[in-house]
Amino acid sequence: MEIFDLTIHELHEKLKAKEVSSVEATRAMLDRIEAVDSQVNAYITVTPEQALVQAEDADRRIAAGEIAPLTGIPVGLKDIFVTKGIRTTCGSRILENFVPPYDGTAVARLKEQGAVIVGKLNQDEFAMGSSNESSYFGPCKNPWDLSCTPGGSSGGSAAAIAARTATATLGTDTGGSIRQPASHCGCVGLKPTYGRVSRYGVIAYASSLDQVGPLTRDVTDSALLLGAVAGYDPRDSTSVNTPVPDYLASLAKGVKGMKIGLPKQYFIEGLDPDVKRAMDEAIALYQSLGADIREVSLPNTEYAVATYYIIATAEASANLARYDGVRFGHRAEDARGLAQMYSKSRAEGFGPEVKRRIMLGTYALSSGYYDAYYVKAQKVRTLIQQDFLNAFKEVDVLLTPIAPTPAFKIAEKLEDPLQMYLSDIFTIPVNLAGTCGISVPAGFSAAGLPIGLQLVGKPFGEQEILTAAYSFERETKWHLKKAPL
Amino acid sequence: MKYQVVIGLEVHTQLTTNTKIFCGCSTRFGAEPNSQTCPVCLGLPGALPVLNRQVVEYAIRAGLATNCSITKRNVFARKNYFYPDLPKGYQISQFDLPICQHGHLDIEVEGEKKRIGITRIHMEEDAGKLVHADIPGVDDSCVDLNRACTPLLEIVSEPDMRSPDEAIAYLKKLHQIVMYLGICDGNLEEGSFRCDANVSLMPVGSTVFGTRAELKNINSFKFIKQAIEYEIERQAEILDDGGKVVQETRLFDPNTGTTRSMRGKEEAHDYRYFPDPDLVPVIISDDWIEKVRGGLPELPETKRARFMSELGLSEYDAEVLVASRELAQYFEDTVALFPQAKTVSNWVMGEVTRALNDDNNRSIAQCPVTPALLADLLKLMEKGTISGKIAKTVFDEMYKTGKTPEKIVEEKGLVQVSDTGAIEAMVDEVLEKNAGQVAEYRGGKETLFGFFVGQVMRASKGKANPAVVNELLLKKLQG
Amino acid sequence: MKITREQVEHVARLARLELSEAELDTFTGQMDSILSYVEKLNALDTEGIVPTSHAVPMENAFRADEATGSIGVEAALANAPLRAESFFRVPKVIE
Ligand SMILES: [Zn+2]
């Protein structure tokens, strides 16, 4: 077992026992990045100097007996997290040289605990995508099969876990951007309830849907990292002021008597047979563990993708208006006059997927179409949310696939945006409903690609899904399999 | 004139909060460009707005003082447009649910009272400033974001005004109210109170409004009048020639007193308003409204009525004294210590105002003669220690030195002489020196009495008690 | 057709995106197919349904009117593509 293979809690024990120092662990991780990242392209920016300074500082804290669960642990951040003094690109040319003057709240909380930030991770440009192919810094590859995408948008965050180039990472999830790449890369990815983790210092894609969450090697790490970043933040008006429970404490409670719902709309014809088999095995396992499995209905599921692509793009069209070449970011060199400076800078700075979504969102909000598209979508959102609340009157958690298929090939879906959008059908409703979901490794396809299982909880029901996920992981050990890299 | 002008006004008042509406940066005017900025007001990626509670409080104050109903559930919306002084590419404002609605103000023009409707008041953030900086070699525009994200209330009137004078009366009234409420410093030059005017013409007797022009960039009451008058003339000319007024935004140019079209610069706007997902609804409870109502200061209208009914002031005096909250406060503080309202009113409107005007229009709040000192002075006068005339001299000295009236009177030996013996000697001397006039007086020319009083006062260097002088003169001249 | 090429051009102007002829063609086709897909929402009767802005109910998030400090002129301008003294500099705006 190499240092870079360890989970947070395993490395923590070694740091605590002084079997290894944070500087050693960080060096090991940086060496590993050096060795394999050229194949994976999980990192946009690696920060060895800062990381080693932070590691030395962590070692001093450990020596002084002030070790917290994340002290000295090498973590990576999706490049959507604003980091003071460290270039933050959001996967876009428009921010190619942007060095923020501040840290976001989640980053600040990691730093307070003494975590070591080894670098900034690849992602779809502005988190818009399901394959990491829209990144200006080149596609990230799936460590299980380098010809496949790792999923997206937090592709780098998931690939770094699978490639063992970070002990844990943070990603963001707007329509599945943590859970789907976690599923495709065989790691654990959790999207918390909207409002659970501060969005301050997270570059906005769709503000009413974006949420920060952990990508980790196992469920214990997920609980641990979520606990470290969750909680009220006065700088985010949408952060919720309810106490953060001890997610670790309830992990081993077991699923005996837990009511698990299978939404019938999620077990459809087009489901990949390998995915179908993995789901069937998971259901059987939960049954054997004493869970009470029953079918539920989320009748408005088929409207989720359409709803999402109106709401998310409308919000994005405004969120991305600040990239105008005035205060920061790319400015076209040969523009004549202000109007051209705007339209050229933005045309050069944004890639096609971002432009497409800005266009779609601008159209949905424009005069004459606002009610037909935006207001309509917000109303359907209400129905979708009610579906979940109704289901949760009957069950404690929902069990669903994460994606209809395992990871797809690079460039396979690039030409048809709508097909790409439809691959998020199982994750998008959770964001629209504002509730929480986790992806846990649930087996492999015949081709050897990981398959994830989604557990969806009630609003602020992170404890239940973590408990259910932990029970599954303890029985299956899928998470222990390593990508061939 | 065969046209009737129709005017509606939109006023932007900058609120006097310590910090901006959505971040903790200072709102102080005149700092180094871009020194009062942070990730939020610079619109940096990842930054999020959090609403300053005081802005809501101030908006409720404004709504209550203008007879509006307060909206219980408030939502902020994004107004999308690109401009270099607008950091986020959208302005956070309110759209379909403004915080205050359906209010009114009563104005008076040449004795005619009129009610002007207030359509809405909403909260929003200001933009930064786009300037053409005086920097050698730079012909570009320059952006200063210190003002970006400063809280504004936009107060929109109904198109109820029918003359430039009514527009001015409405604006002055509104200006007075926001100053009374302490929510705006009212400084027109610094842009704390900005006005846009919607002006249209219709044939006299018609009820259908004509096409309006929106006049922008008007930063004094004088210019408002000029701009509207120019616009009336311009539109009348078009209509006379059988033309059509175009709906457009026009910029007022204070140098020429004219307005010019801003068309071309503005392509058809489509602001694409939608609820800002970064902010949450503001729910205003009845309790909150009542608490704000309880803390409202007495407003000028009520104050003026009270000054007339309780203190017996004339309508004119009352009007002058309530012009500003500080002046009214000064007056009332003085009356509290020297309860002769008429005398105090005369002094405040006379000596005090004159001295302040002469002193570079110093504000009443900074008057060196405090209400307590003024009251002391008036008491000395009332007791007969000094005459009214001397009192004015003493006041000037108090204003200059800040000393108490007692001290000045003592130092300068200004105590009024009431000693009958001393005054009698002066009277005798005056009468003796002016034997001719005495004879004329006794011959029936009684108007000379004032002359004798004047002579005696001069002899006493103004210190003789005028009542005693009168009494003695009368006795001697008759005797 | 859900959207015409002219509409796409208009939207691009609103969004301040300079698009090539080829991009306009591609986007027209793609937006048309996405908007046609979105049509399915009209199958749902949403009469009387309250629109959802945030899935988690929230209200009244305030800050006190207290200064928390600014980041300073240099930090504010550090990422500026072009500056002049303490200002951000942009092509001349004609009013
Ligand atoms: Zn600020």
Side-chain angles (χ1 to χ4, degrees):
Chain A
M1 201 78 154
E2 303 279 353
I3 295 178
F4 52 74
D5 288 332
L6 301 174
T7 62
I8 298 175
H9 55 96
E10 288 163 352
L11 180 54
H12 173 75
E13 290 308 322
K14 290 193 186 299
L15 288 166
K16 205 169 155 187
K18 306 211 169 61
E19 287 170 34
V20 63
S21 72
S22 175
V23 168
E24 283 164 344
T26 303
R27 283 229 165 85
M29 199 57 82
L30 291 168
D31 290 346
R32 172 77 181 167
I33 294 170
E34 182 76 37
V36 302
D37 196 56
S38 57
Q39 299 170 66
V40 180
N41 197 27
Y43 281 87
I44 291 175
T45 306
V46 185
T47 53
E49 295 85 9
Q50 291 101 323
L52 287 167
V53 170
Q54 287 167 354
E56 281 165 18
D57 191 47
D59 282 333
R60 273 192 292 275
R61 287 169 73 155
I62 294 166
E66 294 163 5
I67 188 165
L70 291 174
T71 309
I73 308 288
V75 298
L77 302 169
K78 185 178 184 179
D79 211 13
I80 204 167
F81 289 93
V82 166
T83 42
K84 186 174 184 173
I86 296 173
R87 180 175 77 139
T88 300
T89 70
C90 213
S92 182
R93 180 184 182 197
I94 214 157
L95 289 178
E96 191 175 2
N97 299 307
F98 176 60
V99 180
Y102 76 108
D103 276 328
T105 300
V107 175
R109 286 184 179 167
L110 292 185
K111 281 188 174 175
E112 273 162 36
Q113 279 221 18
V116 174
I117 294 157
V118 290
K120 307 294 295 290
L121 295 156
N122 208 345
Q123 58 167 95
D124 279 297
E125 185 179 6
F126 284 100
M128 297 178 184
S130 313
S131 66
N132 210 124
E133 290 166 290
S134 71
S135 170
Y136 174 67
F137 301 90
C140 174
K141 319 275 174 52
N142 192 319
W144 295 88
D145 178 346
L146 295 171
S147 70
C148 284
T149 83
S153 67
S154 309
S157 300
I161 300 298
R164 279 102 65 214
T165 49
T167 305
T169 63
L170 283 184
T172 60
D173 190 317
T174 307
S177 282
I178 288 174
R179 290 160 290 157
Q180 185 254 24
S183 167
H184 288 351
C185 291
C187 53
V188 177
L190 189 152
K191 184 208 95 78
T193 308
Y194 187 80
R196 181 72 291 181
V197 183
S198 170
R199 294 184 297 113
Y200 188 77
V202 178
I203 298 181
Y205 158 25
S207 314
S208 78
L209 300 162
D210 296 344
Q211 192 56 201
V212 171
L215 292 100
T216 54
R217 294 198 203 303
D218 67 9
V219 175
T220 306
D221 278 6
S222 188
L224 216 147
L225 191 49
L226 174 63
V229 294
Y232 174 67
D233 177 12
R235 283 192 289 196
D236 174 2
S237 308
T238 63
S239 98
V240 174
N241 199 354
T242 53
V244 178
D246 182 350
Y247 296 117
L248 284 174
S250 51
L251 277 186
K253 268 175 68 180
V255 294
K256 197 166 171 39
M258 185 183 270
K259 283 177 268 180
I260 297 180
L262 308 176
K264 61 179 179 195
Q265 290 81 1
Y266 284 57
F267 294 89
I268 45 169
E269 284 305 304
L271 212 54
D272 180 280
D274 288 335
V275 175
K276 173 87 173 62
R277 181 182 38 78
M279 293 306 112
D280 289 344
E281 285 172 15
I283 293 163
L285 177 65
Y286 274 116
Q287 221 145 17
S288 75
L289 293 174
D292 173 3
I293 311 279
R294 45 179 94 175
E295 188 181 87
V296 293
S297 178
L298 300 171
N300 294 295
T301 300
E302 66 164 308
Y303 302 105
V305 172
T307 303
Y308 173 85
Y309 277 94
I310 295 300
I311 292 174
T313 58
E315 292 179 5
S317 72
N319 283 334
L320 272 63
R322 69 187 61 194
Y323 306 99
D324 58 6
V326 174
R327 287 144 292 120
F328 54 81
H330 177 75
R331 180 188 287 196
E333 273 178 11
D334 52 348
R336 264 172 297 139
L338 184 71
Q340 216 187 40
M341 185 201 89
Y342 281 142
S343 58
K344 253 189 137 80
S345 301
R346 289 166 61 79
E348 292 172 1
F350 293 136
E353 184 57 34
V354 172
K355 285 181 196 170
R356 189 156 38 238
R357 295 198 194 190
I358 291 174
M359 293 285 290
L360 198 56
T362 304
Y363 180 71
L365 291 175
S366 68
S367 173
Y369 300 97
Y370 178 75
D371 288 326
Y373 288 110
Y374 187 73
V375 176
K376 180 80 185 180
Q378 281 199 319
K379 288 180 171 182
V380 179
R381 183 176 185 180
T382 306
L383 297 176
I384 291 168
Q385 189 194 5
Q386 279 168 0
D387 281 357
F388 278 87
L389 296 180
N390 289 336
F392 284 126
K393 284 179 194 154
E394 295 171 41
V395 296
D396 302 309
V397 301
L398 301 171
L399 185 157
T400 82
I402 286 282
T405 64
F408 44 88
K409 295 279 181 199
I410 288 172
E412 187 182 321
K413 296 192 182 184
L414 268 185
E415 291 311 308
D416 190 348
L418 184 56
Q419 281 316 306
M420 182 87 91
Y421 297 173
L422 286 169
S423 69
D424 295 333
I425 175 75
F426 301 142
T427 47
I428 278 176
V430 178
N431 299 77
L432 290 171
T435 191
C436 56
I438 190 169
S439 174
V440 210
F444 290 86
S445 71
L449 289 168
I451 293 168
L453 161 76
Q454 173 167 241
L455 297 161
V456 180
K458 298 170 185 172
F460 299 98
E462 283 81 2
Q463 277 176 297
E464 275 104 332
I465 55 173
L466 283 164
T467 302
Y470 183 77
S471 297
F472 185 78
E473 174 185 274
R474 198 166 48 180
E475 297 299 324
T476 59
K477 314 277 187 211
W478 294 116
H479 67 290
L480 296 180
K481 253 194 116 181
K482 285 186 208 162
L485 201 71
Chain B
M1 173 149 167
K2 46 191 201 235
Y3 299 113
Q4 171 64 60
V5 65
V6 175
I7 305 164
L9 297 172
E10 287 172 21
V11 173
H12 287 91
T13 54
Q14 209 174 79
L15 300 180
T16 49
T17 50
N18 299 320
T19 62
K20 297 184 176 181
I21 179 168
F22 296 122
C23 68
C25 289
S26 166
T27 52
R28 195 166 52 90
F29 183 83
E32 182 189 356
N34 294 304
S35 62
Q36 288 167 184
T37 58
C38 72
V40 178
C41 57
L42 287 168
L44 291 190
L48 295 172
V50 183
L51 178 60
N52 183 341
R53 191 178 187 278
Q54 190 77 348
V55 173
V56 183
E57 188 104 6
Y58 282 5
I60 300 173
R61 271 193 215 173
L64 294 176
T66 53
N67 313 292
C68 288
S69 59
I70 307 296
T71 308
K72 297 288 163 62
R73 185 173 189 277
N74 284 271
V75 171
F76 282 96
R78 294 183 180 178
K79 178 183 181 180
N80 296 284
Y81 66 95
F82 288 88
Y83 210 59
D85 64 5
L86 187 70
K88 297 184 293 297
Y90 57 83
Q91 178 191 28
I92 304 177
S93 181
Q94 289 189 281
F95 184 48
D96 48 0
L97 288 170
I99 185 161
C100 315
Q101 294 184 83
H102 316 304
H104 63 260
L105 282 184
D106 293 329
I107 60 165
E108 200 177 315
V109 174
E110 287 168 15
E112 293 266 329
K113 285 194 186 345
K114 184 165 178 181
R115 176 158 291 185
I116 307 296
I118 289 177
T119 318
R120 59 184 282 156
I121 301 177
H122 70 248
M123 304 173 276
E124 64 183 21
E125 59 177 338
D126 206 347
K129 272 186 190 157
L130 195 60
V131 294
H132 191 80
D134 198 12
I135 300 170
V138 177
D139 190 38
D140 288 357
S141 293
C142 291
V143 184
D144 171 11
L145 296 175
N146 282 348
R147 198 183 66 180
C149 208
T150 295
L152 296 178
L153 290 184
E154 180 172 329
I155 304 169
V156 182
S157 86
E158 291 288 317
D160 284 348
M161 286 151 279
R162 294 291 177 270
S163 71
D165 286 334
E166 287 183 11
I168 300 286
Y170 166 81
L171 280 178
K172 287 198 165 157
K173 183 94 186 218
L174 188 60
H175 186 257
Q176 190 184 41
I177 287 177
V178 295
M179 303 267 292
Y180 257 76
L181 294 174
I183 63 174
C184 174
D185 69 15
N187 192 324
L188 280 82
E189 277 160 35
E190 290 177 3
S192 308
F193 190 90
R194 310 195 285 269
C195 178
D196 299 340
N198 290 315
V199 179
S200 67
L201 296 186
M202 61 181 177
V204 169
S206 170
T207 50
V208 183
F209 295 169
T211 308
R212 61 167 205 262
E214 190 184 349
L215 313 183
K216 282 199 179 290
N217 189 36
I218 322 177
N219 61 1
S220 84
F221 293 127
K222 190 180 95 191
F223 291 155
I224 275 282
K225 192 165 170 144
Q226 262 185 33
I228 296 175
E229 277 170 353
Y230 174 83
E231 194 55 26
I232 294 172
E233 232 173 88
R234 187 187 72 88
Q235 292 186 17
E237 227 165 86
I238 294 173
L239 295 174
D240 283 345
D241 292 346
K244 277 189 173 163
V245 174
V246 186
Q247 181 161 349
E248 61 178 352
T249 304
R250 297 181 67 86
L251 202 65
F252 176 71
D253 182 348
N255 298 318
T256 59
T258 61
T259 66
R260 66 185 155 85
S261 176
M262 285 174 79
R263 242 178 324 155
K265 187 206 138 211
E266 285 189 274
E267 55 183 286
H269 275 309
D270 182 350
Y271 290 126
R272 288 161 284 137
Y273 282 99
F274 75 105
D276 190 333
D278 286 335
L279 291 160
V280 298
V282 177
I283 310 296
I284 300 171
S285 64
D286 290 337
D287 270 8
W288 192 357
I289 295 172
E290 287 321 307
K291 227 172 141 193
V292 174
R293 197 193 302 279
L296 284 183
E298 186 181 34
L299 291 171
E301 236 167 63
T302 325
K303 209 181 256 301
R304 190 184 61 165
R306 182 169 59 82
F307 282 3
M308 289 162 65
S309 66
E310 282 181 15
L311 301 176
L313 296 189
S314 72
E315 185 169 358
Y316 176 79
D317 286 9
E319 185 70 42
V320 171
L321 289 172
V322 303
S324 82
R325 186 175 166 183
E326 289 72 23
L327 184 66
Q329 192 62 51
Y330 184 96
F331 166 72
E332 289 201 78
D333 288 349
T334 313
V335 171
L337 299 166
F338 184 79
Q340 293 182 25
K342 184 64 199 159
T343 310
V344 174
S345 148
N346 287 342
W347 271 79
V348 173
M349 289 165 60
E351 293 312 299
V352 176
T353 304
R354 181 192 49 74
L356 291 168
N357 286 347
D358 291 350
D359 188 7
N360 218 351
N361 286 319
R362 184 191 273 252
S363 85
I364 184 86
Q366 282 153 9
C367 183
V369 182
T370 61
L373 287 171
L374 179 62
D376 284 350
L377 176 67
L378 298 182
K379 280 180 202 156
L380 285 183
M381 204 173 81
E382 189 196 25
K383 273 194 290 187
T385 312
I386 54 172
S387 68
K389 191 157 188 246
I390 291 293
K392 290 180 180 176
T393 314
V394 175
F395 177 85
D396 286 342
E397 197 62 22
M398 288 164 72
Y399 192 95
K400 263 184 260 163
T401 62
K403 288 180 186 167
T404 64
E406 291 84 356
K407 182 133 182 116
I408 292 167
V409 166
E410 191 199 307
E411 278 176 6
K412 304 224 163 188
L414 296 173
V415 177
Q416 176 165 275
V417 180
S418 299
D419 170 14
T420 320
I423 295 175
E424 192 167 2
M426 286 185 256
V427 169
D428 287 344
E429 199 186 324
V430 166
L431 294 184
E432 203 178 303
K433 272 192 191 159
N434 300 285
Q437 282 87 341
V438 172
E440 277 180 56
Y441 180 87
R442 286 185 175 142
K445 199 173 176 188
E446 292 189 0
T447 49
L448 279 170
F449 189 74
F451 164 78
F452 297 120
V453 174
Q455 292 299 311
V456 178
M457 289 309 286
R458 181 186 288 180
S460 76
K461 299 198 175 73
K463 287 188 285 184
N465 183 331
V468 179
V469 174
N470 278 352
E471 192 186 322
L472 285 171
L473 267 174
L474 215 53
K475 203 168 81 188
K476 300 246 171 191
L477 284 166
Q478 280 166 355
Chain C
M1 284 290 274
K2 289 305 297 172
I3 191 165
T4 64
R5 197 174 189 277
E6 287 66 42
Q7 284 175 301
V8 174
E9 269 188 272
H10 170 70
V11 171
R13 265 196 307 278
L14 275 181
R16 298 294 188 280
L17 286 172
E18 186 179 277
L19 299 183
S20 67
E21 294 299 310
E23 279 177 307
L24 279 172
D25 288 337
T26 314
F27 281 158
T28 305
Q30 289 173 338
M31 285 174 74
D32 191 60
S33 84
I34 296 164
L35 290 170
S36 302
Y37 175 76
V38 169
E39 273 295 280
K40 70 179 3 245
L41 296 185
N42 292 330
L44 276 177
D45 180 9
T46 50
E47 188 67 33
I49 303 291
V50 181
T52 292
S53 287
H54 293 105
V56 176
M58 345 179 121
E59 61 182 52
N60 289 7
F62 297 122
R63 41 174 285 272
D65 185 22
E66 286 158 11
T68 49
S70 300
I71 59 172
V73 178
E74 284 315 308
L77 289 159
N79 283 287
L82 200 60
R83 63 183 279 189
E85 297 180 356
S86 303
F87 293 99
F88 296 99
R89 190 171 152 183
V90 294
K92 193 170 182 178
V93 176
I94 307 129
E95 282 204 334

